[in-house]
Amino acid sequence: MAEAVARHVVIVGASLAGTRTAQSLRALGHPGPVTLIGAEDELPYDRPPLSKKLLLQEWADTSVEEIRLAGESELTELGVQLRLGNAAVGLDPDAGLVRLADGTSVEYDVLVIATGAEARPSPWKPRSGVFQLRTLDDSRSIAGRLALGEPVVVVGGGFIGTEIAAAARARRCEVTVVDPLAEPMARLVGPEIAGSLVDLHVRNGVKTRFGAGVVGIEGEAGDLTVELDDGERLVASTVVVGIGSVPSTGWLESSGLRLDNGVLTDRFLRALGHDDIFALGDVARWPHPGRGVDVRAEHWTNAGDQARYVAAAVTGAVSEPYTSTDYVWSDQYDWKVNAFGWRAPEGRSDVVGDLETDGRVAVVHAGVDGALCGAVTVNWVRALNQVRRLSASGASAAQAVEAIRRLP
Ligand SMILES: Cc1cc2nc3c(=O)[nH]c(=O)nc-3n(C[C@H](O)[C@H](O)[C@H](O)COP(=O)(O)OP(=O)(O)OC[C@H]3O[C@@H](n4cnc5c(N)ncnc54)[C@H](O)[C@@H]3O)c2cc1C
């Protein structure tokens, strides 16, 4: 029994999901060794600020400390063995071994896969002045370019692309956002709010080229040309390509684990067919109980929640399947966008409030049966929290709409 509880937990991926798992294991009293393996040289840091406030400031030594998830001394005190700057390159589940880039391997009793996601590779040739944003180094480089105040083209109108556009405007750069979709922001906030979000960007001086694909990027930093499929050529000093992300599963290709847009897990976040391997955060795809499909979330709250769950599962403190919080936020100028739950494909959505007249809005999503599935709010966190509370108590979408209509 003593042996069973003192198992060696090896966590691959030293960012939000991995670090929170290590911290939670100790908080729950896990007595065995814990090893945290990370590809990056950096101590664990948080990513959301990389596309927000860190793009707005001059980089100083203290900038990094603002976004640390854990310091070296804390991890030492917790008895977490750190292996940073040493990517996992292979996994042998039969032998219980993770192989590392430096040629060494680490044996595990329990493996936690937390390798997250990476920027979807740019289809265009790498050039100076063309960036993607996933890491601290990326953010630092882009911030340096934005500080020049020169024209920027952002390829991709997703959350990260639009946040970079807002930051670039704050640094007085001319900004054009290009996306092949006619209404890219509808994916983020739904069709009810997408038009207002585009207006917000336009009011703040962003130019948009929606419905136009990029066919090529030429030149170099300071003198780049982005060619669109309608023949237009956009001139830029800096280009940021933000076309989504893909799960970091390359190191698992020959492991025999089931991979399909992430590591497929069961309802307990265990890799399918492997009771001693968990996957969580941006890299995991698990059966979502509410939505009835496998889901891979790229949300901060999900990574932290799953970390606490996995630590509890490893220490035997939980036996129920994982239930998710489904919460995400984005900052765009003075807008605080918050979303919870999901939009049911066949369901309906009700709008409460008005951005123009009230400066705030909530869109409440119902399933076909009227069940409360989720909500998106702008500048109205109170409404979102109300919906979250009502959802937990089993209220219907109609009851949620009524409740937030009554909010002051
Ligand atoms: C710029 C940006 C802004 C964001 N803003 C928001 C936001 O506003 N709201 C929100 O909800 N979410 C946001 N997110 C998403 C959120 O940051 C992620 O959901 C969260 O970081 C996921 O944590 P994770 O630990 O699962 O993965 P990651 O943060 O991707 O970390 C995975 C770690 O594993 C490492 N790794 C990868 N492969 C290997 C390997 N083979 N061996 C060892 N280590 C490896 C990576 O280097 C990385 O450090 C943002 C993300 C980015 C990039």
Side-chain angles (χ1 to χ4, degrees):
M1 181 67 190
E3 243 177 48
V5 291
R7 293 175 298 171
H8 181 196
V9 182
V10 172
I11 304 166
V12 182
S15 187
L16 182 63
T19 307
R20 293 286 185 257
T21 303
Q23 291 165 323
S24 302
L25 279 168
R26 291 304 188 220
L28 291 168
H30 174 71
V34 175
T35 301
L36 184 58
I37 296 167
E40 295 176 75
D41 281 325
E42 286 287 344
L43 280 161
Y45 61 87
D46 211 8
R47 282 175 218 278
L50 301 183
S51 55
K52 303 177 182 69
K53 69 175 186 174
L54 291 188
L55 289 185
L56 300 176
Q57 64 187 42
E58 301 301 333
W59 274 85
D61 291 343
T62 50
S63 307
V64 184
E65 298 315 313
E66 290 175 29
I67 61 167
R68 282 273 175 252
L69 292 167
E72 196 160 6
S73 55
E74 179 194 339
L75 292 167
T76 306
E77 265 172 43
L78 290 176
V80 174
Q81 199 195 338
L82 271 180
R83 304 282 302 264
L84 297 180
N86 200 358
V89 292
L91 167 66
D92 180 345
D94 294 333
L97 270 186
V98 175
R99 282 184 287 109
L100 303 186
D102 68 356
T104 60
S105 35
V106 183
E107 277 182 46
Y108 64 83
D109 298 307
V110 176
L111 176 66
V112 176
I113 298 174
T115 45
E118 52 210 43
R120 184 183 301 284
S122 165
W124 304 289
K125 200 174 126 192
R127 291 175 181 282
S128 67
V130 180
F131 299 89
Q132 298 198 280
L133 176 51
R134 185 77 202 177
T135 67
L136 195 54
D137 281 346
D138 299 334
S139 180
R140 197 183 274 130
S141 304
I142 294 169
R145 298 293 307 172
L146 300 190
L148 301 174
E150 295 174 355
V152 176
V153 169
V154 178
V155 182
F159 270 137
I160 291 179
T162 49
E163 287 183 355
I164 294 167
R169 283 305 298 145
R171 307 229 60 176
R172 306 195 181 287
C173 304
E174 273 180 34
V175 182
T176 309
V177 181
V178 183
D179 196 294
L181 295 179
E183 221 184 12
M185 295 185 193
R187 282 174 311 179
L188 314 181
V189 291
E192 300 84 1
I193 304 175
S196 303
L197 182 52
V198 176
D199 290 347
L200 176 75
H201 278 271
V202 171
R203 269 203 310 281
N204 279 279
V206 171
K207 294 182 192 135
T208 58
R209 294 288 182 278
F210 293 158
V214 171
V215 291
I217 302 174
E218 303 291 334
E220 57 192 58
D223 184 19
L224 291 157
T225 305
V226 179
E227 194 186 335
L228 306 188
D229 57 11
D230 59 7
E232 188 175 358
R233 294 167 75 80
L234 304 171
V235 174
S237 174
T238 303
V239 174
V240 187
V241 178
I243 52 174
S245 46
V246 291
S248 300
T249 51
W251 67 287
L252 297 168
E253 286 300 337
S254 58
S255 66
L257 295 198
R258 285 193 50 200
L259 308 175
D260 179 7
N261 182 26
V263 179
L264 293 182
T265 77
D266 62 16
R267 294 180 306 147
F268 300 89
L269 304 183
R270 295 176 304 208
L272 291 181
H274 296 272
D275 286 356
D276 54 351
I277 302 180
F278 292 83
L280 76 168
D282 283 18
V283 77
R285 193 154 154 241
W286 82 101
H288 190 291
R291 297 172 70 172
V293 290
D294 286 349
V295 165
R296 188 174 71 80
E298 294 177 355
H299 304 154
W300 189 92
T301 310
N302 173 66
D305 287 353
Q306 291 193 333
R308 281 180 285 277
Y309 175 86
V310 165
V314 170
T315 53
V318 70
S319 52
E320 297 299 310
Y322 175 71
T323 51
S324 61
T325 318
D326 298 314
Y327 171 75
V328 63
W329 81 94
S330 176
D331 296 343
Q332 314 253 342
Y333 309 98
D334 57 348
W335 275 29
K336 297 275 177 229
V337 180
N338 293 275
F340 153 72
W342 65 95
R343 177 188 285 267
E346 309 293 328
R348 58 171 283 168
S349 297
D350 285 297
V351 180
V352 184
D354 185 286
L355 274 166
E356 301 305 317
T357 53
D358 315 331
R360 65 185 194 182
V361 73
V363 182
V364 179
H365 306 311
V368 269
D369 53 357
L372 178 56
C373 296
V376 180
T377 62
V378 177
N379 299 337
W380 207 2
V381 177
R382 209 170 156 193
L384 194 91
N385 288 338
Q386 178 79 293
V387 172
R388 286 174 77 165
R389 273 193 296 276
L390 288 168
S391 171
S393 66
S396 68
Q399 286 169 320
V401 168
E402 275 318 303
I404 57 178
R405 278 204 177 112
R406 287 196 301 271
L407 285 177

